[in-house]
Amino acid sequence: MAAELTTTKLNPESHLLLDQSLLRLPHELVRKNFKTSQRAVEHTRDIILASLRSTANAALSGEDQGEQSLAALDGMIARMQGLKRKLEGLHEEELAIHAASRRRIQHLQDLYDIPSLVDVKYDDWSRVRLNRLLVDYLLRAGYEESARALAREKDIEELVDTDVFTQCNRIRASLASGRTTECLAWCADNKQALRKLGSSLEFDVRLQQYIELVRTGEPERLLEATQHARKYLTPHKDTQFLEIHRAAGLLAFSPDTQAEPYKSMYSPGRWNALAALFTTTHHTLMALPARPLLHIALSAGLSSLKTPSCHASTGGPTTSPTPSASICPICSTELKDLARNVPYAHHTKSHVEPDPVVLPNGRVYGRERLQLLGGSGKGDGLGRVRDPMTGEVFGGEDVRKVYIS
């Protein structure tokens, strides 16, 4: 009884390893919201103080008869009202983030209130987590409408990050199609965080703009490319010295050049590389895992089941399907590709039937079970035996004793 309770006891800490981003992302969103509010207040404050100082000086010097002062005050009031509207919108966003955080904390707290893996509450909690993982996978794959529909149907909208992934997918798609406006706006909003991260995303996007200007070959565009490089590329000379020199050399090569690295710089595939770089940077900045959580969970589960005999490790399916392959998740058509690169399970204790024997096809069974299935006969007392999984029949003399060391 004690052993059974030990094996079924729930360890919440091991489950939370997969759910760290559930709380880290709202924290990042709150921090970003606060920084945006702070920048808006400081920017408006500087403008209003400068305007107020200018208006007061004009009034004291007698240059203003009153009309200009009233107009300046009206402008300051309008700017303050605009700031108020912006802060109200940011406050509503913050309240929504706090509500989602409370729901997520309660979802994780429910796990600590479940005593055993066999408790029906654990099944309910696991089903909610599975739905979260499915929504996360759909969002990363670009199926946003399906993800929203599933989250709405299962009432887990506060447990998933649809808006974050929607923005990420939109910017990634714009880069893949050759547009940089949205990505540069995102870089401007996260300038301080990107600098702390040491990211080269903004430089790479500016470099791609430069390449597109040079690609045209038109004299006015080449002049514009030079000005663009001086404004946006040269400030990064301490960290991107080699790339800046290559960008300068690009002026001497046409788009159909075969010389490297200029051929690669002109390659249209750079847009896809930029999209991938943005996705990686975005996920790092938002504390999101690089891989879908569903893949991580499946890989962990498959690794615990994978053995050297699984044909997924050989790189392809078996030549002839067997009943064992149909019940082995590692060997299944749906999961064999995902299971191919996961490590084998680490077993410190073997669990086999009593008095094991091996058949000529390499399968191991207990002698008693084979006697029950094979009947009496010749040889060592087993007679003719039948493999219960493949249906193959062997003579009793072909059965060998297995010694486990």
Side-chain angles (χ1 to χ4, degrees), residues 113-299:
D113 298 333
I114 301 174
S116 171
L117 292 171
V118 298
D119 195 308
V120 66
K121 292 181 180 179
Y122 179 71
D123 292 339
D124 296 336
W125 190 91
S126 298
R127 194 171 293 109
V128 173
R129 182 170 70 167
L130 176 60
N131 289 328
R132 288 197 298 106
L133 300 186
L134 289 173
V135 172
D136 175 84
Y137 178 81
L138 291 171
L139 288 171
R140 290 171 183 266
Y143 301 106
E144 297 170 12
E145 293 301 322
S146 298
R148 290 181 183 276
L150 178 59
R152 189 165 48 249
E153 179 183 346
K154 302 300 182 180
D155 191 26
I156 57 172
E157 292 175 287
E158 291 182 332
L159 300 179
V160 293
D161 308 297
T162 52
D163 292 339
V164 172
F165 279 106
T166 297
Q167 181 193 44
C168 176
N169 292 338
R170 185 180 66 250
I171 297 176
R172 179 177 61 189
S174 69
L175 282 174
S177 60
R179 302 191 308 273
T180 60
T181 305
E182 291 187 65
C183 182
L184 289 174
W186 184 85
C187 291
D189 290 339
N190 299 274
K191 194 175 188 67
Q192 296 297 329
L194 290 174
R195 184 178 293 114
K196 290 181 180 179
L197 192 63
S199 172
S200 63
L201 176 62
E202 184 175 2
F203 173 83
D204 289 334
V205 174
R206 294 295 188 184
L207 177 60
Q208 189 63 36
Q209 288 181 320
Y210 170 85
I211 292 173
E212 296 306 317
L213 290 171
V214 175
R215 189 191 303 274
T216 62
E218 301 173 2
E220 60 274 11
R221 288 292 188 179
L222 294 178
L223 178 60
E224 185 179 348
T226 304
Q227 296 171 345
H228 177 91
R230 289 173 179 170
K231 182 176 181 181
Y232 296 112
L233 302 185
T234 305
H236 298 272
K237 62 180 180 296
D238 294 335
T239 57
Q240 302 290 343
F241 183 79
L242 180 60
E243 291 296 326
I244 293 174
H245 271 251
R246 288 176 175 175
L250 194 68
L251 293 168
F253 293 87
S254 62
D256 58 354
T257 182
Q258 297 299 312
E260 291 290 356
Y262 307 107
K263 178 183 177 181
S264 298
M265 295 179 72
Y266 278 123
S267 172
R270 281 181 58 89
W271 287 108
N272 291 328
L274 274 179
L277 176 61
F278 166 76
T279 303
T280 302
T281 305
H282 174 273
H283 290 356
T284 303
L285 205 62
M286 295 296 177
L288 290 169
R291 296 174 58 200
L293 293 174
L294 183 63
H295 283 187
I296 298 174
L298 282 174
S299 297

Side-chain angles (χ1 to χ4, degrees), residues 287-320:
L288 290 169
R291 296 174 58 200
L293 293 174
L294 183 63
H295 283 187
I296 298 174
L298 282 174
S299 297
L302 292 173
S303 181
S304 66
L305 298 173
K306 186 176 179 180
T307 65
S309 62
C310 291
H311 65 251
S313 62
T314 63
T318 52
T319 55
S320 58

Side-chain angles (χ1 to χ4, degrees), residues 30 33-34 37 88-100:
V30 169
N33 185 285
F34 172 76
S37 302
E88 286 175 347
L90 292 172
H91 181 61
E92 291 178 1
E93 291 180 11
E94 185 175 356
L95 291 177
I97 296 172
H98 287 319

Side-chain angles (χ1 to χ4, degrees), residues 59-109:
L60 291 174
S61 63
E63 298 176 359
D64 184 8
Q65 301 300 322
E67 295 181 357
Q68 294 181 358
S69 297
L70 290 175
L73 290 173
D74 289 340
M76 286 185 277
I77 292 172
R79 188 172 291 277
M80 289 295 293
Q81 289 175 339
L83 175 63
K84 180 184 177 182
R85 287 192 296 270
K86 184 172 184 178
L87 292 179
E88 286 175 347
L90 292 172
H91 181 61
E92 291 178 1
E93 291 180 11
E94 185 175 356
L95 291 177
I97 296 172
H98 287 319
S101 297
R102 282 193 295 271
R103 174 80 184 277
R104 296 177 183 209
I105 292 172
Q106 184 59 51
H107 171 64
L108 298 179
Q109 180 60 43

